[in-house]
Amino acid sequence: MLTLTFEITLLSNYHSGAGYGKGFGLDSALLRGADGTPVLRGSGLAGLFRDSVYRLLKLKPLSQHNSVEVQERLFGSPARAKRWHFSSARPVERQSADAQVVQRVRIDPRTRRAEPRKLFTQEEGNAGQVFRFTITCAATDEAALDDAALLVAAARYIRQLGRSRRRGLGECVIHLTEVSGMEQISPDSWEAWFLERFKRVWLLGQPAPCLLYTSPSP
């Protein structure tokens, strides 16, 4: 099994809603686990990656690839089981003050003005937190490595997560930090290794060196 471990660093406050409020003083609570720590849903992360892969494959250097086929292979479809599975993301370190309650107002998309009587409160996670999650695939063949290279590139292409991204929330960076299931090689940087493979396979259409690490071009 091939397992990619990523870390998300939040550069701004974020909101990943639980889908409910907490009484009169909080309309939209932050999603938390059973231990009370904030959680980012695996399904939400998969959606972020799927959108990032879609946007990458729309770029001219990648337009030769079949976007629909690639997305169905990675993330599944009603007729096809997904090949990659996303865990939920949890904080690397638990913080005593990880959120704050703020007031917001709904903006009318037509007039771009605040709507009357649409004031609400939501819980926002504080900036500076680091979350960790994994993406796994049962295979460890060359095709899985090519897919992993695309996922690593997609991770670097993601810039925001959660709700209200268009209003400045959820700015983030995502880095690959660890890989398991490929013990036969040990590059200095797995992220650099996969990005080099992405460049060769997805951008240039060249075959990747079979399980050999080549230092990225400067």
Side-chain angles (χ1 to χ4, degrees), residues 50 68 71-83:
R50 185 167 197 150
V68 174
Q71 290 182 79
E72 287 185 352
R73 183 176 72 248
L74 295 178
F75 307 103
S77 70
R80 187 174 185 177
K82 60 185 177 182
R83 198 176 192 201

Side-chain angles (χ1 to χ4, degrees), residues 25-28 99-103 121-124 126:
L26 181 58
D27 297 308
S28 182
Q100 56 186 302
V101 176
V102 300
Q103 290 188 332
T121 56
Q122 73 177 24
E123 189 178 23
E124 292 183 359
N126 292 336

